[in-house]
Amino acid sequence: DQQVKQNSPSLSVQEGRISILNCDYTNSMFDYFLWYKKYPAEGPTFLISISSIKDKNEDGRFTVFLNKSAKHLSLHIVPSQPGDSAVYFCAASADTGFQKLVFGTGTRLLVSP
Amino acid sequence: GAVVSQHPSRVICKSGTSVKIECRSLDFQATTMFWYRQFPKKSLMLMATSNEGSKATYEQGVEKDKFLINHASLTLSTLTVTSAHPEDSSFYICSAGPGRDQPQHFGDGTRLSIL
């Protein structure tokens, strides 16, 4: 049973525009949500997180929104840059802080110049 | 920033071989490290929690005798795939963090191919 789902395997965006990556979850016990970015042949790199007591967290060009009632979160990147092209993973944890993560299947973002 | 080093990056070996993968935290101590496995086009799946100085905790469905985990120091955890078979071929990746409330940092992973 996939508890964290990223239904869009890929997304293409033009440079300068907004990229919106979506993630849905089923486990209401999740209390931390994270986004990781992964380049080929490298491990995932932490981007941004949000706890379940918040509905928005912003860090530079990256903003994560959480809608607990819909069990949905999204990552907004604005403006998108070609260097943002990578696979983005949504992850969640339940009562373990940032540990023992449950990952989505990832969305491949391609930002074209 | 925090760095986690994983070695080797790729292993190709014959069926029946045991393979050891190392995960090191380079600039912080980690009492807990985590091992994940990724199948093609699937998400990273947590296999086990590596606990320094005590037994690892395995997720449901993961064979502890097949995947031996040792966490002998605060900076090193090892995963040994014992008597590997083709179905063990996968991408294995470890993570560690400076603390419970700080993000996990991942190694670059190990691509294991069993012939």
Side-chain angles (χ1 to χ4, degrees), chain B residues 17-34:
Chain B
T17 307
S18 290
V19 178
K20 181 185 283 189
I21 303 169
E22 293 187 348
C23 181
R24 294 180 184 272
S25 57
L26 298 186
D27 53 357
F28 64 93
Q29 293 182 332
T31 57
T32 306
M33 294 185 178
F34 300 90

Side-chain angles (χ1 to χ4, degrees), chain A residues 36 43 95-96 98 100-101 104, chain B residues 34 36 43 100-101 104 107-108:
Chain A
Y36 279 83
D95 198 31
T96 61
F98 287 106
K100 294 191 73 172
L101 301 176
Chain B
F34 300 90
Y36 294 81
S43 59
R100 183 182 186 273
D101 296 326
Q104 292 287 300
D108 287 339

